[in-house]
Amino acid sequence: MSASFPHLLSGIDLGRTALRNRIVSTGHHTHLSSGAPSERYVAYQEARARGGAGLIVAEVARVHETARFADHCLDATSRDCVPGYRRLARAVHRHGAALFGQLFHPGREVQTTPDGMLATAYAPSAVPNERFHIMPRPMSGALIEEVIAGYGRGAGYLVEAGLDGVELVASHGYLPAQFLNPRLNRRDDEWGGSFEKRLRFAVEALGAMRRAIGDATLGLRISGDELDPAQGLTGDEVAGICRALAPRLDYVSVVAGMSSSLGASVHIAAPMGVPSGYVAPHGRRIKEASGLPTIVTGRINQPQTAEAILAAGDADLCGMTRAMICDPRMPWKTRTGRLDGIRACIACNQACIGHAHKGVAISCIQHPESGRELQYGAPTPAVEPKRVLVVGGGPGGLKAAAVAASRGHAVTLREASDRLGGQALLAQRLPGREEFGGIAQNLEREAREAGAAIETGTPVVAAAVRSEAPDAVILATGAAPYAPDIEGAGDAHVVDARQALDGANIGNRVVVADWRCDWVGVGLAEMLAASGRHVRLMVNGAMAGELLQLYVRNHHVGRLHRLGVDIRTHMRLFGADGDSAYFQDTLTDEPVIAEGVDTLVLSPGCVPNDDLGRALEDAAVAFTRVGDCLAPRTAEEAVLEGLRAAWEI
């Protein structure tokens, strides 16, 4: 055990389950399985067990047909799930980790059916869902009894398969929480009304689970505060619930937020603008109220943060889920003192929860091997080591260099500027994106540790590539700002995003013309508004931050609202003059004039920086493009393409 982490690396018992440490991968939707755990899902979770996690909680499994909420999810409604769970349990246990499963019913938090039709959602009462605009159907007494029986049946299947315990998911406003909530449960029968009657659903579900699993570990996942002042359970209400349920439980897993609210749902996977470890006070409240071992999660991305939470007594274990999506070996690195080698999660949400919302398999922009363990689980040594030249030191180039070097190739990376990182260096200068530069730091470290030679301040020309004649060339030369034609721009004060970040003179009345609809436009608007300027954000899209992951977008747009930024959507920029900017409404074609403008700030996207690529093509030199020099997109595509290019050498 590392002397620096006496709490985090110490063992603990949850019920009858002995854990080797207090690092938990909590349940999270991966879109790697449909029905029973798949081979891809087993490989994914095995990587985290091999990396040293103490406890892995498998993602939610539905307990009833009315609990179907997505195409790719686990199902515990029949014994057909047992063989898959048994394979999962064996894979996790062989590496010394414990395995629990989650049992789930979303209640009114259902959007569509597998064939794309709107779902019939069932809940305690007909109280509408604000986020999904769903009006649920009140559950009959018979249906309630069926669902409770489903919790018991599913728990039995999971323990039969060899899992160490099961967890009732009452977090984020899902069905058990809906019964507990007096603002959502308006029944006047035996399932609602008084506190005891609202508690009955959870009591009966836990009872059915306990009868099915015997002395296996039984836990509850719940939001310590649903953080929605209109409909959510408050911290005090949740503390009272946990106090009442404690005799039936072995532990409580504490999260925050509520799925049905746009603002509160941000806390399902809080973005980097939210402080690390911010749920810890809720964990302390629940721990004190219940007297039970408590897991707390919420932006705990480093072992130092987790140790501080445990040492303060705010919780007994820490959920470090995204930390292990980003670096499955984080627990092992912590135990062996390799802290500088930890690839810290930056909470960008792009490939973890962002993929889940797109219905595709989970991954990580820094570590695209996550979710792709069967393809890229471990670097394959090169049969014939080659001399590899990587041109460009942004995320894509750094990943290519790291992977190629780890496979035994002799790699040289050359970057024209004096700093590595590419556009990540710009992203980290915007408010709420300060951690984004971590992707460059992490990938640079990986490349150097793998043995790649890195040269900065070294432009590369085609003649030099021909002269050096490497065996393989990977171009990651990035992109340059797109310069749109703007009628009358010569008479206006116009700066682009990079100039604004570099400290260009900007007036007090600003219009940000945002074509890309990503983090740049909203970040610039916030930065300028926070400095006291009057800011109008004119977005060429249906909403500000349209291309961002849902929780990231809502978080940042909320910040803009607090700062008083005037946001207009469907705005196409076409002209400017000394004190006005001219737009066209993309829905109506009507002109829109923004008057009283001191500075027009452009966020128009980028074009490939591909001069070297075209020159190499003219010289008939073979090479591979990755990232923005192929097509301007995001760091995720660049890093994955860097991995693939290096893997194929």
Side-chain angles (χ1 to χ4, degrees):
M1 182 193 305
S2 169
S4 301
F5 300 96
H7 297 88
L8 186 63
L9 297 180
S10 65
I12 187 172
D13 293 342
L14 294 185
R16 74 172 188 185
T17 306
L19 306 182
R20 60 185 172 186
N21 61 48
R22 301 179 185 222
I23 300 171
V24 183
S25 176
T26 59
H28 56 288
H29 197 182
T30 65
H31 282 269
L32 291 170
S33 298
S34 292
S38 67
E39 288 187 24
R40 292 176 69 194
Y41 186 69
V42 171
Y44 171 83
Q45 295 291 21
E46 184 173 10
R48 279 126 197 93
R50 186 187 300 113
L55 170 63
I56 290 173
V57 183
E59 67 188 60
V60 296
R62 55 181 175 252
V63 298
H64 190 268
E65 182 58 31
T66 58
R68 185 179 298 274
F69 73 104
D71 289 344
H72 305 114
C73 62
L74 298 178
D75 189 317
T77 59
S78 80
R79 190 167 272 104
D80 293 345
C81 71
V82 171
Y85 272 108
R86 186 171 287 130
R87 287 191 295 271
L88 176 63
R90 289 171 178 167
V92 168
H93 287 154
R94 75 169 59 104
H95 299 288
L99 177 67
F100 295 169
Q102 289 185 322
L103 295 174
F104 179 73
H105 195 299
R108 66 177 186 162
E109 306 298 307
V110 177
Q111 291 177 274
T112 60
T113 59
D115 62 0
M117 299 295 102
L118 292 176
T120 301
Y122 293 89
S125 304
V127 180
N129 175 304
E130 180 178 82
R131 177 179 166 200
F132 301 136
H133 302 283
I134 291 290
M135 179 62 77
R137 178 178 177 80
M139 298 173 71
S140 67
L143 179 56
I144 293 172
E145 297 285 359
E146 280 185 31
V147 171
I148 289 171
Y151 280 109
R153 191 164 46 246
Y157 295 148
L158 269 55
V159 171
E160 177 187 340
L163 276 67
D164 303 290
V166 292
E167 188 173 274
L168 174 68
V169 178
S171 61
H172 300 123
Y174 298 127
L175 183 63
Q178 292 163 32
F179 272 95
L180 293 165
N181 190 329
R183 289 161 292 285
L184 303 183
N185 182 351
R186 299 177 180 176
R187 304 175 74 98
D188 58 5
D189 59 6
E190 64 269 32
W191 300 102
S194 67
F195 174 77
E196 290 73 19
K197 289 183 177 180
R198 285 184 281 109
L199 196 71
R200 183 183 173 192
F201 182 88
V203 169
E204 296 285 348
L206 290 169
M209 294 166 71
R210 175 59 76 192
R211 290 189 294 274
I213 67 174
D215 65 351
T217 302
L218 179 60
L220 173 74
R221 193 180 206 204
I222 195 165
S223 294
D225 190 317
E226 292 186 343
L227 300 176
D228 179 2
Q231 290 191 344
L233 287 167
T234 68
D236 288 341
E237 286 175 323
V238 176
I241 289 164
C242 291
R243 185 181 299 111
L245 294 177
R248 298 168 172 82
L249 297 167
D250 295 312
Y251 73 92
V252 182
S253 180
V254 181
V255 294
M258 185 180 193
S259 174
S260 63
S261 161
L262 287 174
S265 64
V266 165
H267 300 283
I268 293 175
M272 69 180 74
V274 175
S276 297
Y278 74 105
V279 182
H282 302 299
R284 174 181 282 275
R285 184 192 294 115
I286 300 307
K287 179 181 176 181
E288 292 175 349
S290 68
L292 293 171
T294 301
I295 304 169
V296 70
T297 190
R299 286 233 56 213
I300 305 174
N301 67 341
Q302 289 277 30
Q304 296 91 336
T305 304
E307 178 68 21
I309 289 170
L310 300 179
D314 291 333
D316 301 284
L317 305 95
C318 284
M320 304 183 72
T321 307
R322 283 183 290 175
M324 285 183 279
I325 297 172
C326 187
D327 192 342
R329 302 179 74 210
M330 180 274 295
W332 178 83
K333 292 176 182 178
T334 302
R335 180 172 56 81
T336 55
R338 292 166 168 81
L339 301 181
D340 290 342
I342 292 174
R343 185 188 308 107
C345 167
I346 59 175
C348 67
N349 280 7
Q350 193 167 328
C352 49
I353 190 70
H355 276 205
H357 285 171
K358 294 178 181 177
V360 298
I362 196 169
S363 192
C364 175
I365 70 167
Q366 297 191 71
H367 189 61
E369 293 90 337
S370 283
R372 299 181 176 94
E373 285 79 9
L374 296 180
Q375 297 168 272
Y376 305 116
T380 303
V383 175
E384 180 183 349
K386 296 180 178 180
R387 292 182 302 116
V388 179
L389 174 64
V390 179
V391 184
L398 289 168
K399 184 65 175 182
V403 174
S406 72
R407 297 185 58 224
H409 296 299
V411 179
T412 300
L413 182 149
R414 296 196 176 108
E415 164 59 38
S417 72
D418 60 357
R419 293 186 66 191
L420 300 170
Q423 292 193 64
L425 301 180
L426 296 174
Q428 69 178 355
R429 292 159 64 182
L430 290 168
R433 304 290 288 183
E434 293 85 358
E435 294 179 52
F436 205 90
I439 188 174
Q441 298 167 11
N442 292 333
L443 290 170
E444 178 185 355
R445 182 184 63 251
E446 291 174 32
R448 292 189 186 279
E449 289 178 351
I454 296 177
E455 303 171 6
T456 57
T458 310
V460 176
V461 297
V465 177
R466 292 184 65 189
S467 174
E468 189 172 329
D471 299 310
V473 179
I474 298 173
L475 292 194
T477 49
Y482 172 60
D485 293 327
I486 303 172
E487 183 179 343
D491 298 323
H493 184 215
V494 182
V495 301
D496 67 27
R498 296 191 188 194
Q499 292 168 331
L501 288 171
D502 286 336
N505 180 41
I506 296 175
N508 288 324
R509 298 172 300 173
V510 183
V511 164
V512 177
D514 181 11
W515 170 81
R516 176 63 182 165
C517 301
D518 62 1
W519 50 270
V520 181
V522 294
L524 287 170
E526 180 176 349
M527 179 185 76
L528 296 169
S531 70
R533 295 174 171 89
H534 176 269
V535 178
R536 284 168 281 183
L537 177 60
M538 312 293 274
V539 180
N540 193 345
M543 63 188 73
E546 184 173 8
L547 297 187
L548 296 175
Q549 187 272 330
L550 174 68
Y551 301 150
V552 175
R553 178 179 73 233
N554 290 343
H555 173 72
H556 280 282
V557 172
R559 289 162 66 131
L560 295 182
H561 287 173
R562 292 187 189 97
L563 287 167
V565 173
D566 181 10
I567 301 173
R568 293 287 302 273
T569 62
H570 306 95
M571 294 288 102
R572 177 190 296 131
L573 175 67
F574 70 84
D577 59 26
D579 63 357
S580 298
Y582 300 92
F583 295 84
Q584 184 179 35
D585 188 308
T586 58
L587 298 181
T588 68
D589 295 332
E590 295 295 321
V592 177
I593 302 174
E595 299 178 316
V597 180
D598 296 326
T599 304
L600 175 63
V601 179
L602 305 180
S603 178
C606 297
V607 292
N609 187 1
D610 197 34
D611 291 347
L612 179 58
R614 289 190 293 269
L616 291 179
E617 287 175 337
D618 291 342
V621 175
F623 67 94
T624 301
R625 291 183 179 92
V626 303
D628 284 357
C629 71
L630 175 62
R633 289 154 294 156
T634 74
E636 180 182 1
E637 289 81 14
V639 174
L640 177 58
E641 288 167 3
L643 166 65
R644 287 173 172 165
W647 200 272
E648 292 170 2
I649 297 173

